Amino acid sequence: GAVGVLLGAFGAHSLKASPSTTPKDLEVWTTATQYLFYHALAIVAVNAHAAAAARRGAKVVCALYPDPSTGYPPRYARDSVPAVTRYPDGQTTPTPEAIDFTPGELLGCVSGGLGLRAYLEAGGHQFVVTSDKDGPDSEFEREMRDADVVISQPFWPAYITRARMEAAPNLKLAITAGIGSDHVDLQAAIERRVDVAEVTFCNSISVAEHVVMQMLALVRNYIPSYKIISSGGWHIADCVQRAYDIEGMHVGTVAAGRIGLAVLRRLKPFDVHLHYTDRHRLPSDVERELNLTYHERVEDMVKVCDAVTINCPLHPETEHLFDDALIGSMKRGAYIVNTARGKICDRDAVVRALESGQLAGYAGDVHFPQPPPSDHPWRTMPNHAMTPHTSGTTLSAQGRYAAGGR
C-alpha cells in the first residue's frame, strides 16, 4: 500500500504543464504530491515501528472513558448494527485480518478496551487501559513513561503534551481512536519523531447525524418541551413560544469536508437554503446538486444565516473564531451547533450571547477542557442543548474506530 502511494506521489509530481494549465492547477498538483508523499512515509514509518515493537513486545497505554455507571457490559438496546463497508466517498471501512469483538458492543470504555486486549496480549505485548488521564499523578502519565504506543480518544482526551513526550523516551506512535488529534502536541511529536495516526472517516457520518439532531432540537425547542412532559406538565404555550420550523431558514457550515458536506446533504431535504465557507471550494457539480451558496469568508456567511454548524478543525486560526464580534454580526436569534472543538468558540462570548438573546440557542458536544468542570458555564447557560462528547462514539462508530485502531 505504501509503495502504491509513493508511486502515485511520484506520478503526480511528473505531470507536465499544458497550455491550459493554470497556476491554481500547479498549486493543487504540488499539494497533492506533497500529501501523497508524506502520507506514504507515514505508512512506512508506522509499519516499521510496529515491526520493531513486535520483536521485543510493546507497551501500549490507552486512555478511555469510564465504564457505564450501571456496570459492564450493558444490556444492549439492539441485537445488531447495520453493516457499513464503504464510506460515501468510496473509501472502505477498516478491514483488519480479524477482530475480537462483535460490532455494536461498547468498546470505547475501559472494560471495552477497543477490543484490543486479546489481540495484543496474544502477541506478547503489554496493554494498559485507564480512565485516569489528567495530572502528573494520573495512571496514564505514570504508565506512559515507558510506553511505545499511546491510544486516546477525542471524547475523553489524554493530552499528549511536550512534557509527557519528553518523559516517554520509548514513545513511537500516538493513535487517536477517532478523528481529530489536537490533543496531541503535533510540533513536539514531529521533533521527537513520534507518529500520530487517526482513523479517517470512521465517525464522520455519526457526527453529521448529531449535528442535524441538535439543530432541530434547538429550532423546535425540543428539550424544554421534553422536560415539561417529563415533569408531569402539559404547558403547550411554554413549549411553542420558542419553537419554529427549520423550513426556509438559511443554514451554513464552517468547513465542508467529510462532516460538513454530510451535514449539508442531510439538511437539503428540509427545504432550507444552504451555505458554506471553506478554504477549498467544492466542485461545481456538488454546488449545483445541493444548491449551495459559497462564501469566501466566514464573516460574510454568518451574517445571512439563521443557523450555523461548525465543522472545522481546531488550530491557531480557528481558536476563539466565534468571539463577541463574530457572534454579534449574526442575525439576532440565530443558532450555533458546534461539534468540532470547544475552543473554536469563546466560552464567555457564547454565554453572553445566549443571556442577551443575540443567540436563540447553542448546542454541541465539545467543551474545553474535557470533561469540563462541574461549574463550567456551558452546563447552566440558557437555551442550550449540550451533550457530553458523544457525537462520534455511538456503538456503530466504535466498531469502526476499534477496527481502525487495530
Side-chain angles (χ1 to χ4, degrees):
V3 171
V5 174
L6 278 168
L7 290 174
F10 289 122
H13 189 65
S14 68
L15 287 171
K16 302 297 183 183
S18 69
S20 62
T21 301
T22 67
K24 183 64 176 178
D25 293 329
L26 293 174
E27 178 187 344
V28 170
W29 286 344
T30 301
T31 302
T33 300
Q34 292 172 339
Y35 171 80
L36 288 167
F37 184 74
Y38 289 115
H39 184 63
L41 291 181
I43 294 171
V44 173
V46 169
N47 289 338
H49 291 324
R55 286 193 293 272
R56 61 176 173 78
K59 180 176 181 180
V60 180
V61 179
C62 186
L64 300 176
Y65 46 76
D67 287 357
S69 57
T70 53
Y72 186 92
R75 182 178 179 181
Y76 296 104
R78 294 178 53 84
D79 296 328
S80 63
V81 295
V84 176
T85 58
R86 288 185 180 273
Y87 300 119
D89 68 349
Q91 176 183 324
T92 57
T93 56
T95 53
E97 292 182 357
I99 56 175
D100 299 313
F101 59 84
T102 300
E105 292 179 338
L106 178 56
L107 304 169
C109 64
V110 170
S111 291
L114 297 178
L116 288 174
R117 184 170 298 281
Y119 166 66
L120 289 173
E121 293 182 348
H125 308 299
Q126 182 182 359
F127 187 46
V128 178
V129 185
T130 181
S131 62
D132 181 20
K133 63 183 180 67
D134 295 322
D137 297 323
S138 64
E139 183 179 2
F140 181 84
E141 183 146 333
R142 293 195 305 269
E143 296 289 351
M144 181 179 165
R145 290 168 188 158
D146 59 347
D148 299 278
V149 179
V150 293
I151 304 175
S152 184
Q153 300 172 301
F155 330 107
W156 188 259
Y159 294 96
I160 315 299
T161 62
R162 178 180 293 274
R164 280 180 162 179
M165 280 188 262
E166 290 175 347
N170 297 336
L171 186 64
K172 299 295 189 296
L173 176 62
I175 297 174
T176 297
I179 302 171
S181 298
D182 49 275
H183 58 283
V184 181
D185 186 327
L186 297 179
Q187 185 58 44
I190 291 169
E191 295 171 7
R192 300 191 62 80
R193 303 181 68 82
V194 175
D195 293 310
V196 180
E198 54 187 49
V199 188
T200 305
F201 222 151
C202 64
N203 57 9
S204 299
I205 303 305
S206 312
V207 176
E209 291 183 3
H210 196 94
V211 170
V212 175
M213 174 191 73
Q214 289 195 312
M215 189 173 293
L216 290 172
L218 288 176
V219 173
R220 298 305 296 256
N221 204 37
Y222 171 77
I223 290 178
S225 302
Y226 169 78
K227 289 180 178 178
I228 285 172
I229 196 70
S230 298
S231 63
W234 189 261
H235 308 292
I236 294 177
D238 289 350
C239 297
V240 302
Q241 64 181 337
R242 296 182 63 87
Y244 300 88
D245 295 344
I246 199 171
E247 180 184 17
M249 287 189 174
H250 289 257
V251 181
T253 175
V254 180
R258 294 183 178 94
I259 296 172
L261 181 56
V263 170
L264 293 171
R265 290 192 181 281
R266 281 153 181 76
L267 285 172
K268 187 177 187 297
F270 287 92
D271 293 326
V272 294
H273 304 280
L274 295 173
H275 302 252
Y276 79 101
T277 182
D278 199 298
R279 286 185 175 182
H280 306 286
R281 191 162 181 172
L282 291 169
S284 57
D285 59 331
V286 175
E287 289 189 345
R288 287 193 299 269
E289 174 197 352
L290 301 178
N291 195 22
L292 301 177
T293 300
Y294 173 69
H295 302 265
E296 289 189 2
R297 300 168 65 247
V298 64
E299 292 85 356
D300 297 328
M301 186 190 76
V302 301
K303 292 177 182 178
V304 301
C305 288
D306 301 286
V308 172
T309 166
I310 302 172
N311 300 294
C312 59
L314 173 65
H315 51 74
E317 292 181 24
T318 61
E319 184 170 340
H320 290 170
L321 173 64
F322 280 76
D323 56 11
D324 285 306
L326 189 62
I327 295 173
S329 72
M330 299 174 71
K331 293 181 180 181
R332 190 189 75 84
Y335 306 91
I336 293 176
V337 178
N338 178 15
T339 54
R341 290 295 182 265
K343 287 182 76 175
I344 295 173
C345 293
D346 182 307
R347 184 194 71 174
D348 296 331
V350 169
V351 175
R352 286 190 288 268
L354 288 169
E355 290 176 343
S356 71
Q358 174 62 20
L359 287 178
Y362 182 92
D365 66 332
V366 287
H367 305 70
F368 184 81
Q370 290 194 163
S374 58
D375 61 350
H376 193 290
W378 284 7
R379 293 181 181 271
T380 55
M381 60 189 180
N383 303 313
H384 81 82
M386 296 295 292
T387 68
H389 197 164
T390 58
S391 63
T393 186
T394 61
L395 296 180
S396 307
Q398 287 178 39
R400 293 189 291 273
Y401 67 68
R406 174 160 172 164

